Amino acid sequence: MATFVLIHGGGGSAWGWHLLVPELTGRGHDVVVPELPIEDSSAGFAEFREAVVDAIGDRRDLVVVGHSYGAFTAPLIADRLPVRLIVLLTPMVPKPGEKPGDWWGNTGHREAEGLTEEQQFHNGVPAEIVAEAAAHGRAQVSAEWKEPWPLESWPAVPTKVLIAREDRFFPADFQRRVAADRLGVAPDEMDGCHSVALSHPEQLADRLTAYLGEGAGSRAR
């Protein structure tokens, strides 16, 4: 049994994982779904890391999954606890010393024109789930946006990048380029949108649990 630590993205909450959690527990695994202190204007990367570490407690055999902006936090856990695997899901891949607010320009990200928020983030998500999503969003006013990412190098932990082919917020070609440039890896791919844990939770659980049988996996360079 592994412990999957699911870290939500920017402006999000643990609710974003609520369809994936039963898929993972039904496969015999433990799941930890922390809430990052994004509504605290004094909270930075240190507080984000501590929130996750506190939620993990004494659990071990950790697979840390960072979705989107959660990819800035996921590697920080390996700086404190023994982590078996890091999975970056439709991610914002950071680099040492980079401020999150600078990531967009540094990577050359361009937002698709003419798309609503729903079309960017939730294409393919069932309508009843989309209708609930707004109630679970949170204002992100935390301080880490202007803080340099604190790690000097990527953790010496096997790392996977998993992207969604129908992602309209971070299109597949963009994510392939960023993963190659920043981690020296080719990402794995699956069907789904940016919020793939809501659009394809069963398939995502299959992909995450399959990684457990792949040995050391890919390491970032």
Side-chain angles (χ1 to χ4, degrees):
M1 180 184 77
T3 297
F4 286 89
V5 182
L6 308 179
I7 301 176
H8 64 77
S13 66
W15 178 87
W17 302 108
H18 78 283
L19 299 179
L20 179 64
V21 170
E23 294 290 345
L24 292 172
T25 57
R27 290 162 170 77
H29 301 289
D30 194 8
V31 182
V32 177
V33 192
E35 297 275 10
L36 299 181
I38 65 174
E39 295 172 297
D40 181 352
S41 61
S42 67
F45 282 124
E47 288 74 23
F48 280 25
R49 179 180 59 196
E50 290 308 308
V52 178
V53 169
D54 288 348
I56 292 169
D58 61 359
R59 297 173 177 88
R60 291 298 181 264
D61 199 18
L62 305 177
V63 177
V64 181
V65 183
H67 173 238
S68 194
Y69 190 29
F72 269 83
T73 300
L76 304 182
I77 310 311
D79 198 43
R80 285 286 307 276
L81 296 174
V83 171
R84 173 177 177 175
L85 177 69
I86 296 169
V87 181
L88 306 181
L89 181 64
T90 64
M92 293 174 65
V93 181
K95 65 179 181 180
E98 181 175 57
K99 298 175 182 179
D102 294 335
W103 181 91
W104 310 88
N106 291 346
T107 59
H109 178 263
R110 296 290 183 269
E111 185 173 335
E113 297 182 0
L115 296 182
T116 65
E117 183 171 317
E118 178 180 333
Q119 290 169 332
Q120 289 187 77
F121 295 100
H122 296 122
N123 53 302
V125 175
E128 63 273 17
I129 302 299
V130 175
E132 294 181 44
H136 297 278
R138 296 186 295 155
Q140 181 130 7
V141 298
S142 42
E144 87 300 328
W145 187 255
K146 297 181 180 179
E147 291 182 356
W149 194 60
L151 297 187
E152 294 182 359
S153 60
W154 199 263
V157 173
T159 300
K160 295 285 189 177
V161 179
L162 179 58
I163 68 175
R165 298 185 186 97
E166 289 80 47
D167 191 339
R168 294 174 179 169
F169 187 58
F170 295 153
D173 285 347
F174 169 78
Q175 294 194 87
R176 293 184 194 109
R177 176 174 59 78
V178 174
D181 178 57
R182 298 196 163 203
L183 296 177
V185 302
D188 296 324
E189 303 184 18
M190 63 174 290
D191 292 337
C193 65
H194 189 71
S195 302
V196 66
L198 297 176
S199 67
H200 290 73
E202 182 177 355
Q203 296 91 328
L204 178 56
D206 287 342
R207 297 298 293 266
L208 293 175
T209 54
Y211 285 148
L212 300 176
E214 293 185 8
S218 302
R219 284 188 184 273
R221 66 182 179 187

